[in-house]
Amino acid sequence: MTDRFATLTFTKAVAAPLATLWQAWTAPVARAIWAPPAPDVSVIFLEADTRVGGREISICRVENQPDVRVEAGWLHLEPVTRCVNYEVISSEGETCSAALVTADFTADGDASRITVTVQLSSLAHDMAEGYQQGFSAGLDNLAEVAARTMVLRRVIEAPRAMVWKAWVNPETLPQWWGPDGFTCKTTRIDLRGGGEWLFDMIGPDGSVYPNHHRYGEVRPETSLSYTLLAGENGPKHADAWVSFDDTDGATTVTLGMVFSTAAEYQTAKGFGAEALGQQTLGKLARFVGAP
């Protein structure tokens, strides 16, 4: 058959700040949430490494249909401005398409906008219609997820290895975790991938806030992910991730959280979760001896 080529463009306004939209688009935890284009589609991430040269491999699964394998590789990452990746789709050992995907990000007042350009080469099948449907649905999902995502960032004047060790050491994490005036009482803690931290946060007035963190992927000195539950095996509050980036000898810590619902997000905003989260990162900074 003759190869089919197409250039497709998608634009979406998003009710979230530019930095939040960027994290929702690039962070593997967030991508896994908005990636399924329809309720009957499940997406299983086998590999996810968002850095230039890194790749993402996922399996799209629909009942009674062959699995679809998607491999994406990150070619260019210019934070909050532009990213470029390739994408190869295959099924039953046959390559269906290859594409170059460019995403551009612009501020739009307090909101933001993403424009995605797909340069598509259909191989075994004509994939243009599927891409139209998939990206349109995906950007709708992305906008919904970004609108309930909270992103906190702090540059800590300490080496990345030191900041990382303070976060993943079971002895040190409970010493600084939580806003000013809060302490932690740990029941059990295992900060490896697949581990958990069951603990109570105790406020300055003695109020007790049960917490249960379940850890996903832990990539040394790079990133970790976890799920926040309200008490042991309780309702899920959010899916979270933390990244650690070297910044001229200092460490940029980025903490992202996709709340389970828009209502959960609004509740968190209402009680000042952003300021309290910044207090927590401030305690981390002081713990490692940074200003």
Side-chain angles (χ1 to χ4, degrees), residues 189-212:
I189 185 169
D190 179 356
L191 303 178
R192 297 170 295 181
E196 62 180 347
W197 182 23
L198 182 64
F199 66 104
D200 290 333
M201 276 208 311
I202 303 170
D205 62 355
S207 298
V208 177
Y209 304 90
N211 282 262
H212 189 183

